[in-house]
Amino acid sequence: MASSLTRDSADPSTEKTFFGHPRGLATLFMTEMWERFSYYGMRALLVVYLISGGVDAATDSQGGGLAMKAATATAIYSIYVAMVYLMAMPGGWFGDRVWGARKTVAIAGGVIMAGHFALALPGQAMFFVGLALVAAGSGLLKANISTMVGHLYDGPQDPRRDSGFTLFYVGINLGAFVAPFVIGTVGQTVNWHLGFALAGVGMALGLAQFLLGSKHLSPISSQVPNPLSAQERNAIIVKVAAVVGVTALFYAIIGFTGVFTLNWALVPLTVAGLLIPVGVLVRIKRDKDLSAPEQSKMNGYIWFFVAAAVFWMIYDQGGSTLAAFAEKNSANTVFGWDFPSTWFQSLNPLFVMTLAPIFAWLWIWLARKNQEPTTIVKFAMALVLVGGSFFVFIVPMGMANGGTLVSPMWLVSIYMIQTIAELCLSPVGLSVTTKMAPQKYASQMMGVWFLAVTAGDCTTGLLSIAGVDLNGTGIIGMQAALAALAGFAIYMYRKKVQTMMGDVH
């Protein structure tokens, strides 16, 4: 992929580049592409594997997933995705204080790879071990690899910086687009565990690419910006050991008494995923070091955070509720040719790659005419659209009540509406987070933004654990109405929120 300019170490202008960018971007592009290939490939299989009919205990033969109820599968999926984003905060902490970004990404790649290969082994125990490893590794990697992209450029004013991150974003979506066609097809039509193993191979390729190409990365990526002192390290080790010990003892007692069920693991994770985001926001808000303008901006930011949590609660069901519908109720046939239901998971990255340049051009064009919607209005649009996607979803759900298989174009339409909504919220949310962050928490606030995903997915998980059927038209309609009402509420209070935002527009 790198251009074939002749390299001359004495003259930087003649060094090989990656589409005009530092060669290290090629390393990070390929690493992230393969990591997303493994992540989205496994995620495409996850719910379908969980709800597919019983396993032959001797052979664990194809056609037999874990035969779980749809509600349980949705809960597991939602909590898994929530934990990936929750782990982004400790992942950033490890990069800043323990290993440095480069070493953290290398370790994360190994953990993710081990997790996928654990999933490739039959049995529920290895399945949950694998999920935990992939979630932990993804959090470690996600928080640090974007930071390393920034290290490649000469400060925020480098004119190549924005386009470099755009190329990096293409790598994310390219891996996500291809994965369901490869991993999803093999896992769903040949053997589930072979599909999970292919995800492990994808991460292995990404890790190999990273290690071989690390010589092209910035030396800053190997530095630990704020290393722990010996006293801090010892105190943390004691605290972690205490928490692990108490947790292990608690679950040992539960297991010994014979009362353990899956909910003993799911409920604490769900509650933690809801309480931690609230706790982090409260801690920042109560910091007396924040100036009055910073306090005001945090008040405004809470509106965006809650809106994002509602958005992700619905949006991330594209891999659970919509995936289950695609497997059981959609006629996955085009011109007489059948295709696996996991292929629907390629629609979102395809639409992102297609529509993102159009939206980028649209915002610039409207800005030149002084008509670009404000950040608040874009958030409102995203919520109304994502709610609208679930109003549309009610129609094919009603059509499929009698066992009728509906046209796959219904799901195509729903995924397209959700992608348009994502493009109104996700890039804008990242931008407004950096603009509204108090100076003291400038680096931590990106992790706070990811906690909105955690809160949204944990809400979905808690509903599923409580026995709410997220595959019913009633609850789908309620979620659609909630999102639409949240969008209208933000729009109606836009002037008040804008006042809180101060000089941020």
Side-chain angles (χ1 to χ4, degrees):
M1 288 188 176
S3 62
S4 56
L5 296 173
T6 305
R7 182 178 182 182
D8 182 353
S9 59
D11 183 2
S13 66
T14 61
E15 289 186 358
K16 288 183 179 179
T17 64
F18 181 68
F19 296 112
H21 292 269
R23 286 191 68 189
L25 184 62
T27 297
L28 299 176
F29 176 99
M30 296 297 292
T31 303
E32 181 71 353
M33 185 193 74
W34 283 114
E35 188 275 330
R36 292 290 88 181
F37 172 85
S38 69
Y39 174 80
Y40 281 100
M42 184 277 282
R43 206 179 83 158
L45 285 178
L46 185 54
V47 168
V48 183
Y49 172 66
L50 290 173
I51 65 176
S52 292
V55 179
D56 184 314
T59 64
D60 192 40
S61 58
Q62 182 59 16
L66 296 185
M68 292 183 177
K69 294 179 179 178
T72 305
T74 298
I76 291 171
Y77 167 88
S78 299
I79 293 168
Y80 162 70
V81 175
M83 291 303 106
V84 168
Y85 286 91
L86 181 62
M87 288 300 295
M89 286 201 78
W93 181 85
F94 271 98
D96 287 342
R97 307 216 62 189
V98 183
W99 293 321
R102 187 183 302 188
K103 187 175 181 180
T104 303
V105 167
I107 292 172
V111 172
I112 295 169
M113 183 175 64
H116 286 305
F117 286 132
L119 288 169
L121 300 175
Q124 281 199 32
M126 294 309 298
F127 173 80
F128 287 109
V129 168
L131 276 189
L133 289 173
V134 174
S138 296
L140 286 171
L141 186 140
K142 190 173 187 68
N144 289 281
I145 195 164
S146 296
T147 301
M148 295 172 68
V149 174
H151 290 161
L152 297 172
Y153 298 96
D154 186 19
Q157 305 307 317
D158 191 319
R160 301 172 300 170
R161 187 183 180 93
D162 286 350
S163 63
F165 273 97
T166 301
L167 273 174
F168 182 69
Y169 193 60
V170 169
I172 293 173
N173 285 284
L174 186 59
F177 171 69
V178 174
F181 293 115
V182 180
I183 296 172
T185 301
V186 171
Q188 199 170 2
T189 63
V190 181
N191 183 277
W192 298 111
H193 302 293
L194 182 58
F196 291 133
L198 278 178
V201 171
M203 189 64 250
L205 291 171
L207 181 58
Q209 163 73 24
F210 180 78
L211 295 174
L212 291 172
S214 60
K215 60 186 176 183
H216 301 299
L217 301 176
S218 169
I220 299 173
S221 300
S222 296
Q223 298 174 7
V224 182
N226 183 23
L228 290 171
S229 66
Q231 184 178 1
E232 287 176 317
R233 184 173 60 252
N234 292 337
I236 289 171
I237 290 172
V238 170
K239 289 178 182 178
V240 171
V243 171
V244 171
V246 170
T247 304
L249 178 62
F250 173 79
Y251 280 103
I253 294 172
I254 295 297
F256 181 75
T257 55
V259 298
F260 179 83
T261 64
L262 190 57
N263 281 351
W264 279 101
L266 296 181
V267 172
L269 289 173
T270 307
V271 173
L274 289 171
L275 293 181
I276 290 174
V278 173
V280 170
L281 285 172
V282 169
R283 178 174 63 86
I284 296 174
K285 268 291 296 157
R286 295 181 65 180
D287 191 331
K288 295 180 180 178
D289 290 341
L290 267 60
S291 65
E294 288 178 329
Q295 285 283 3
S296 179
K297 287 177 182 178
M298 281 304 301
N299 289 335
Y301 186 75
I302 290 172
W303 282 77
F304 292 109
F305 185 92
V306 174
V310 173
F311 175 86
W312 295 115
M313 179 185 74
I314 293 178
Y315 179 87
D316 274 345
Q317 289 183 59
S320 55
T321 306
L322 291 177
F325 185 86
E327 172 66 7
K328 294 182 177 294
N329 301 110
S330 179
N332 302 328
T333 303
V334 176
F335 302 120
W337 176 63
D338 296 333
F339 61 91
S341 64
T342 48
W343 284 19
F344 283 106
Q345 299 304 309
S346 287
L347 288 172
N348 172 252
L350 173 63
F351 289 141
V352 168
M353 289 188 289
T354 304
L355 297 176
I358 297 174
F359 270 74
W361 169 84
L362 177 64
W363 299 142
I364 294 172
W365 181 71
L366 289 172
R368 287 173 179 165
K369 301 180 69 175
N370 202 29
Q371 294 179 352
E372 182 185 5
T374 64
T375 299
I376 306 165
V377 173
K378 288 176 183 177
F379 263 67
M381 290 166 56
L383 285 167
V384 171
L385 282 167
V386 82
S389 75
F390 262 27
F391 280 127
V392 173
F393 187 28
I394 292 173
V395 178
M397 290 182 78
M399 294 169 61
N401 267 342
T404 303
L405 297 179
V406 303
S407 167
M409 293 308 297
W410 283 106
L411 287 172
V412 172
S413 300
I414 293 166
Y415 280 115
M416 184 172 68
I417 295 170
Q418 291 189 349
T419 302
I420 294 171
E422 178 193 5
L423 291 171
C424 290
L425 180 137
S426 188
V428 178
L430 289 169
S431 177
V432 79
T433 297
T434 60
K435 292 176 182 177
M436 296 179 69
Q439 186 63 36
K440 184 176 179 180
Y441 297 98
S443 59
Q444 295 182 44
M445 282 298 288
M446 197 56 69
V448 173
W449 169 252
F450 289 137
L451 288 180
V453 186
T454 298
D457 280 305
C458 281
T459 303
T460 306
L462 194 61
L463 289 172
S464 298
I465 293 169
V468 176
D469 182 14
L470 291 176
N471 299 283
T473 54
I475 190 64
I476 292 297
M478 286 179 62
Q479 291 179 82
L482 173 64
L485 287 172
F488 282 119
I490 288 181
Y491 183 78
M492 294 301 294
Y493 282 88
R494 64 191 183 281
K495 293 182 179 178
K496 179 180 179 180
V497 178
Q498 186 62 63
T499 301
M500 296 178 187
M501 295 170 68
D503 57 353
V504 177
H505 298 285

